[in-house]
Amino acid sequence: MAVPYTFANATTAIPLSQLDNNFATPITIGNTATQLGNTITTVNNLTLANVTISSVATPITVAEGGTGSTSLTANNVILGNGTSAVQVVAPGTTGNVLTSNGTNWVSQALSASSSSISNGTSNVSISSANGNITSYTNGVLAQTIDTNQNSIHPATVVMGSSFLRNRIINGDMRIDQRNSGASSTATNVYTVDRWSYAASQASKGTWGQNLNAVTPPVGFTNYLGFQSSSAYAVGASDFFAFIQPIEGYNIADLAWGTASAKTITLSFQVYSSLTGTFGGALKNSAGTYSYPFSYTISSANTWTPVSITIAGPTTSTWLTTNGLGVAVIFGLGVGTTYSGSAGSWAATNYLSATGATSVVGTSGATFYITGVQLEVGSVATPFERRLYGQELALCQRYFYQWSSAGGDGYTSVATGNGFSSTQCDFAIQYPVTMRAAPSVTFSAASTFYLDSIQAGNANSGAASWIDATTTNGSIRWTFTSGVTNGFALKLRANNSTSAYIQYFAEL
Amino acid sequence: MYENAQYIQSYGRNTSIRVDINGVTSFVPLDPNNTDYAAIMTLVAEGKLTIAEAQ
């Protein structure tokens, strides 16, 4: 055996002859054996850690876990291709969608016929022929929406916010039973139906339906207008406002005054010769809790849509009966006593927001409003259209007027009968059930006439109102003599078109 | 403004009140839900209005 070579002293290459037999034994890398000095090109079953590959001779194949490609174009979509190199789909033209033809995926424009999303027997499709959106569930037509935004439902519609959602009556100011469109300067009276003009000072402005005849906003024919007659400096306790009191029955579902109080949205359209911040408020029947709100009119003499969402009050008392549920107030000039910070509830009788523009403060200033809607939820939906007859009937729950205007002067009121030598009664049935037994006023007695079969014609005496309920009552006509007990009579206009009888059950 | 109030009778009992409201003669039924009646009763309670008996 040769003398062991001293490796530490080696100054040149170590000859193999100097290695003992053990160094001639192959070493194993992975499961591949080789001897030192040999060249190997393949190593099998080798696990490497922390490896950096600087290059490969050919792309790693799909079978080897690669893509089989030398590059992937930016923004292309990769498609599988068996064991061959992957395929790609380029984005193509703007608006294209990835579409299957049953075999391949391609980038293409929406179909010339229609596009649809399907899940079994349910699908939604968009027709390129007419633009309609159609949905099917379980293979049955469920809904069609056309390009005029009409939505057609073959089955029952269930909505979070229902039809008849507007709690405001006569929000489009169409009904004006009392004034028939005439303007007035009267204070603390009703203007168009359901809207009162409340004022602490007389003669500070004129109100009326379609006052000054500006063009209403698109879709409306009427508005309620106010024009200031002077530059009145509002005092601390002054107030000027349009108010609609809403009956408690019509807000009972809002659960106001409880932890479940619902949010509401108040929307309307306003037009003013002034610009700036305007104000209003909601308040309860007792005037002990209120919510001042503000809104901005940026452009003078331009209809401006406004939407205000208000979280419902969780405290205080809100009537859910035929009493006043909530009053909706639009300020036209309100003093500091009745003005509070906008945007929060307060245990105070506020009518408007602090700093709101005073319409009565500028001579000749105008303020017009229409399309008022108060609804549940945080979204202002389009103004709810009701048929004229429906709106009139809603108004007549609070005010009803018999009038000879428009007639031939002999319009009938009712038939009745004498029940003594001096008195006769005429039964009156209202068009709708009124909120309360109504108060009644009559035009002058001389505008009425009694056709009496037995007692002769008469246009004297005096009227009164008796035995009233929410559905009916009686007009009693009293004379000094001449009525026959038990005989029929008819009450009519006395050749007059200015006779009227007004029934009030307002809040 | 409520003035000159007087009860009106029907079949021997009070049935309404004739009263001038802002100068206009009105007839107000005895219904607590009627806002005119409620206002009249408030004024009566405060001693600011008297309702005359029916004739």
Side-chain angles (χ1 to χ4, degrees):
Chain A
M1 183 176 176
V3 176
Y5 191 85
T6 303
F7 293 96
N9 296 328
T11 57
T12 61
I14 303 171
L16 285 175
S17 60
Q18 294 301 314
L19 301 177
D20 69 18
N21 290 335
N22 289 334
F23 283 91
T25 301
I27 62 172
T28 301
I29 302 174
N31 63 356
T32 301
T34 187
Q35 290 181 307
L36 290 176
N38 288 353
T39 299
I40 57 174
T41 57
T42 302
V43 177
N44 295 320
N45 294 346
L46 178 64
T47 300
L48 302 174
N50 299 326
V51 175
T52 299
I53 299 174
S54 60
S55 67
V56 292
T58 58
I60 301 173
T61 66
V62 170
E64 294 167 340
T67 64
S69 298
T70 57
S71 68
L72 298 173
T73 304
N75 300 317
N76 281 11
V77 176
I78 298 174
L79 302 178
N81 192 23
T83 57
S84 301
V86 296
Q87 295 179 324
V88 295
V89 177
T93 305
T94 298
N96 275 13
V97 294
L98 197 62
T99 304
S100 167
N101 61 9
T103 303
N104 298 319
W105 291 96
V106 295
S107 171
Q108 64 179 35
L110 285 173
S111 168
S113 56
S114 65
S115 298
S116 65
I117 301 171
S118 178
N119 179 14
T121 56
S122 298
N123 71 73
V124 178
S125 64
I126 305 171
S127 169
S128 60
N130 55 24
N132 287 358
I133 300 173
T134 306
S135 64
Y136 286 78
T137 54
N138 293 326
V140 177
L141 178 65
Q143 181 186 13
T144 300
I145 303 174
D146 69 17
T147 52
N148 292 317
Q149 296 77 52
N150 296 310
S151 182
I152 302 152
H153 300 256
T156 303
V157 175
V158 179
M159 302 172 65
S161 177
S162 66
F163 296 111
L164 296 177
R165 62 192 180 283
N166 190 3
R167 311 309 169 93
I168 298 289
I169 295 174
N170 201 27
D172 56 2
M173 317 298 178
R174 273 183 297 173
I175 312 297
D176 189 12
Q177 294 185 83
R178 294 171 179 83
N179 311 292
S180 300
S183 61
S184 172
T185 60
T187 57
N188 301 312
V189 295
Y190 274 84
T191 61
V192 297
D193 279 58
R194 302 297 296 123
W195 291 98
S196 70
Y197 169 55
S200 57
Q201 304 287 338
S203 305
K204 300 305 177 189
T206 302
W207 51 260
Q209 183 190 50
N210 291 4
L211 184 71
N212 297 331
V214 301
T215 302
V218 173
F220 293 88
T221 56
N222 300 103
Y223 58 87
L224 175 58
F226 178 86
Q227 182 165 19
S228 173
S229 60
S230 64
Y232 177 69
V234 172
S237 59
D238 275 332
F239 57 85
F240 302 86
F242 287 139
I243 301 175
Q244 172 150 150
I246 300 177
E247 188 174 351
Y249 285 144
N250 294 336
I251 63 156
D253 62 308
L254 302 185
W256 282 12
T258 76
S260 303
K262 293 182 180 178
T263 294
I264 60 99
T265 295
L266 177 68
S267 57
F268 49 92
Q269 299 209 40
V270 286
Y271 178 116
S272 177
S273 60
L274 305 175
T275 59
T277 301
F278 291 71
L282 306 183
K283 72 168 191 173
N284 67 358
S285 60
T288 56
Y289 215 65
S290 58
Y291 183 99
F293 60 80
S294 65
Y295 56 94
T296 302
I297 298 178
S298 300
S299 300
N301 301 323
T302 303
W303 285 106
T304 302
V306 176
S307 172
I308 300 166
T309 295
I310 300 169
T314 56
T315 60
S316 195
T317 300
W318 302 86
L319 298 185
T320 56
T321 64
N322 63 343
L324 172 59
V326 59
V328 180
I329 303 158
F330 292 95
L332 300 167
V334 177
T336 55
T337 299
Y338 298 112
S339 296
S341 297
S344 61
W345 290 99
T348 309
N349 186 25
Y350 288 140
L351 305 178
S352 188
T354 300
T357 299
S358 172
V359 180
V360 298
T362 301
S363 182
T366 56
F367 178 91
Y368 308 127
I369 186 168
T370 193
V372 185
Q373 180 156 288
L374 189 152
E375 60 193 307
V376 174
S378 57
V379 175
T381 63
F383 183 77
E384 180 179 64
R385 308 288 173 181
R386 293 191 283 248
L387 298 179
Y388 183 88
Q390 292 175 310
E391 200 75 52
L392 176 60
L394 291 174
C395 292
Q396 288 176 329
R397 176 171 172 78
Y398 307 92
F399 176 83
Y400 158 59
Q401 176 171 271
W402 172 91
S403 172
S404 64
D408 61 0
Y410 301 93
T411 307
S412 295
V413 178
T415 56
N417 66 280
F419 71 92
S420 75
S421 61
T422 60
Q423 293 181 317
C424 50
D425 283 357
F426 300 89
I428 300 296
Q429 189 85 25
Y430 323 133
V432 302
T433 298
M434 301 192 77
R435 184 193 64 81
S439 302
V440 171
T441 61
F442 300 89
S443 57
S446 59
T447 62
F448 292 96
Y449 200 96
L450 285 89
D451 287 329
S452 171
I453 295 173
Q454 295 296 323
N457 297 330
N459 67 337
S460 59
S464 60
W465 175 241
I466 61 171
D467 303 330
T469 69
T470 58
T471 59
N472 58 73
S474 292
I475 295 172
R476 171 160 296 171
W477 217 276
T478 302
F479 300 90
T480 53
S481 63
V483 179
T484 302
N485 190 1
F487 282 81
L489 305 97
K490 184 176 79 172
L491 178 63
R492 63 168 173 81
N494 180 25
N495 190 23
S496 169
T497 55
S498 59
Y500 66 83
I501 304 170
Q502 295 181 328
Y503 303 81
F504 299 81
E506 294 284 4
L507 285 159
Chain B
M1 178 73 76
Y2 296 87
E3 299 174 303
N4 305 318
Q6 182 179 32
Y7 282 112
I8 292 176
Q9 287 197 335
S10 173
Y11 300 104
R13 48 133 180 85
N14 292 336
T15 183
S16 60
I17 299 169
R18 180 172 54 228
V19 61
D20 293 337
I21 304 176
N22 296 325
V24 177
T25 299
S26 301
F27 298 88
V28 177
L30 311 184
D31 179 355
N33 292 315
N34 181 297
T35 52
D36 288 323
Y37 181 73
I40 289 169
M41 289 298 104
T42 298
L43 292 173
V44 170
E46 293 173 346
K48 298 176 180 176
L49 180 69
T50 300
I51 307 174
E53 292 301 320
Q55 290 181 337

